[in-house]
């Protein structure tokens, strides 16, 4: 196969590239193949920059990465031997105050991840030790415990009054500036790197990946063990998203190879 186009793989991590036990082994051969043929793998995740730096080192990735659901973008400039940063959203401090204001309006406390004990975080996420500290190194978003589903629409409307958005992930909800989400970050990165014609293969598994899937040229939904996320079913049914044939890393790998071998 000859890849004639300029491609980027822009991928969510948790639940997409890796399962909920943080295993990505089934994707490793495809990651190696993508590196061999020169296609960048760009993480686009709710994880912090500290977390993604560790993951990139594990996987041997050198491409830019989008963190905290689009709150910021990072990359390494080899000529200057330093990391660059593009900030899209409000700071953690600003968003934390907004979360308190939203709590006052809704009438109960929305509890952020950073206010949980390490034992509570381990129970919720499976993280432990140093991994918890990396997850708490928040700069551009505020994850918080999921509110009742019945309040979701009301909370989104309240957040808009503060120029903020709420996205639901697998384990937590995320408060971000309206100026930052995964789709906006992809567009910003294309502009920054002067790659207006690059073709994006976007992969995600949950509500907070919708902006990424909408910004991609080819959008792949990676299901969980019980099937695809409910928020993504409409896009699958309309044919807007490709549904991976297997969950997590295995489906991630199969879908990318199938797509690149067919275009």
């Amino acid at each position: 196969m000859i890849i004639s186009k300029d491609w980027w793989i822009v991928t969510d991590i948790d639940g997409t590239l890796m399962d909920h036990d943080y295993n990505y082994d089934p994707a490793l051969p495809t990651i190696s193949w993508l590196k061999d043929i020169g296609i960048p793998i760009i993480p686009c995740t709710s994880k912090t920059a500290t977390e993604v730096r560790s993951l990139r080192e594990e996987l041997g990735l050198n491409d830019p990465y989008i963190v905290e659901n689009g709150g910021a973008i990072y990359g390494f400039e080899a000529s200057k031997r330093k990391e660059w940063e593009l900030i899209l959203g409000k700071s953690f401090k600003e968003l934390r105050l907004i979360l308190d204001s939203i709590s006052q309006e809704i009438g109960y406390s929305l509890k952020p991840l950073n206010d949980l004990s390490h034992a509570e975080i381990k129970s919720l996420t499976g993280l432990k030790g140093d991994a918890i500290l990396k997850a708490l190194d928040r700069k551009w978003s505020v994850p918080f415990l999921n509110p009742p589903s019945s309040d979701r629409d009301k909370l989104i409307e309240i957040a808009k009054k503060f120029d903020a958005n709420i996205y639901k992930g697998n384990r937590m909800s995320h408060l971000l500036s309206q100026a930052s989400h995964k789709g906006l970050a992809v567009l910003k990165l294309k502009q920054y790197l002067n790659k207006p014609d690059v073709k994006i293969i976007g992969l995600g598994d949950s509500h907070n990946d919708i902006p990424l899937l909408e910004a991609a040229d080819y959008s792949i939904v990676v299901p969980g063990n019980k099937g695809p996320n409910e928020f993504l079913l409409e896009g699958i049914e309309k044919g807007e998203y490709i549904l991976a044939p297997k969950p997590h890393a295995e489906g991630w790998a199969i879908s990318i190879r199938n797509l690149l071998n067919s275009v």
Side-chain angles (χ1 to χ4, degrees), residues 90-139:
K90 297 180 185 292
S91 69
F92 176 88
K93 184 177 179 180
E94 292 174 285
L95 291 167
R96 184 67 179 80
L97 293 173
I98 290 173
L99 188 70
D100 289 342
S101 296
I102 295 172
S103 294
Q104 290 177 5
E105 289 213 25
I106 199 70
Y108 56 84
S109 178
L110 299 167
K111 194 165 186 179
L113 175 70
N114 290 63
D115 285 7
L116 301 180
S117 68
H118 281 211
E120 289 173 317
I121 294 172
K122 181 180 178 182
S123 176
L124 177 68
T125 67
L127 299 173
K128 55 186 177 181
D130 188 51
I132 292 178
L133 297 178
K134 291 176 182 176
L136 293 176
D137 190 21
R138 295 273 150 189
K139 308 293 186 187

Side-chain angles (χ1 to χ4, degrees), residues 2 26 28 30 32-33 44 50 52 54 68 87 102 115 145 157 168 194 202 209 215 226-227 252:
I2 298 175
L28 289 175
T30 298
S32 294
W33 174 67
C44 186
T50 307
V52 180
S54 295
E68 299 194 46
I87 300 169
I102 295 172
D115 285 7
L145 295 180
E157 287 305 309
K168 188 176 185 297
N194 193 26
D209 294 314
K226 296 181 180 180
W252 185 95

Side-chain angles (χ1 to χ4, degrees), residues 105-209:
E105 289 213 25
I106 199 70
Y108 56 84
S109 178
L110 299 167
K111 194 165 186 179
L113 175 70
N114 290 63
D115 285 7
L116 301 180
S117 68
H118 281 211
E120 289 173 317
I121 294 172
K122 181 180 178 182
S123 176
L124 177 68
T125 67
L127 299 173
K128 55 186 177 181
D130 188 51
I132 292 178
L133 297 178
K134 291 176 182 176
L136 293 176
D137 190 21
R138 295 273 150 189
K139 308 293 186 187
W140 315 112
S141 66
V142 178
F144 60 96
L145 295 180
N146 283 323
S149 297
S150 58
D151 286 342
R152 181 176 172 273
D153 290 342
K154 185 177 180 180
L155 283 165
I156 289 172
E157 287 305 309
I158 294 172
K160 287 179 181 177
K161 294 194 291 187
F162 298 96
D163 295 321
N165 281 328
I166 292 174
Y167 293 98
K168 188 176 185 297
N170 288 305
R171 295 184 173 100
M172 304 194 81
S173 294
H174 301 262
L175 180 69
L176 297 99
S177 162
Q178 284 189 345
S180 61
H181 60 56
K182 290 185 176 186
L184 288 172
V186 170
L187 297 176
K188 185 74 172 180
L189 183 59
K190 288 173 68 174
Q191 181 183 43
Y192 181 77
L193 297 180
N194 193 26
K195 289 282 189 176
D197 299 323
V198 69
K199 295 296 182 183
I200 305 292
I201 298 175
L203 300 101
D205 76 310
S206 66
H207 176 255
N208 64 340
D209 294 314

